Amino acid sequence: MELFWKNGAMTTSEIRESMPEPRPHINTVSTQVRMLESYGFLGHTKEGTGYRYHYQIEWQDYNNEFNGNPFMRCLKNSYLKAVSALVKDDKITVEELRDLIDIIESEK
């Protein structure tokens, strides 16, 4: 979405070219764009044999509605669920979590 807010309407080729290396395959870009369109974030206009995609939702509206954090959105903004998911997926150890609790408690 940031690419659209920054650059305006783009084709899938233009989207891909604006991405840093290593760039995803054009089919991956196309799939992501169609998914964003199905959610109502993007729209398109016919251009030649393809489409030019444009944003349908302003950055501020997106940020207000989704807090810009898909991870927290999936967990319904529950920090307890977020931390539990991190521990379950071995992204943070129980010992690191205890250290974090100690840091938080020492700052109170």
Side-chain angles (χ1 to χ4, degrees):
M1 289 302 301
E2 289 180 25
L3 290 174
F4 290 99
W5 292 316
K6 180 180 176 186
N7 300 317
M10 295 184 289
T11 64
T12 52
S13 296
E14 292 168 340
I15 296 165
R16 185 177 182 275
E17 288 303 311
S18 67
M19 294 175 152
E21 292 286 349
R23 293 183 178 104
H25 191 275
I26 192 70
N27 291 347
T28 302
V29 174
S30 180
T31 299
Q32 291 173 337
V33 167
R34 282 182 281 136
M35 188 171 61
L36 288 170
E37 188 174 30
S38 74
Y39 294 149
F41 297 146
L42 297 179
H44 71 268
T45 55
K46 183 88 167 133
E47 185 174 286
T49 59
Y51 298 102
R52 180 165 292 276
Y53 295 90
H54 56 273
Y55 61 86
Q56 297 274 80
I57 183 170
E58 297 291 335
W59 177 86
Q60 189 63 37
D61 296 333
Y62 176 86
N63 192 46
N64 288 343
E65 185 172 344
F66 299 103
N67 298 321
N69 190 330
F71 178 72
M72 289 303 295
R73 234 184 14 252
C74 290
L75 297 170
K76 297 183 177 23
N77 286 323
S78 167
Y79 291 99
L80 181 59
K81 287 181 183 177
V83 172
S84 296
L86 291 172
V87 171
K88 182 179 178 183
D89 293 342
D90 294 324
K91 303 294 183 190
I92 186 171
T93 66
V94 173
E95 186 59 38
E96 289 170 326
L97 192 54
R98 286 187 182 115
D99 291 343
L100 181 59
I101 291 168
D102 290 343
I103 292 168
I104 292 168
E105 286 178 342
S106 70
E107 292 179 358
K108 283 188 175 186

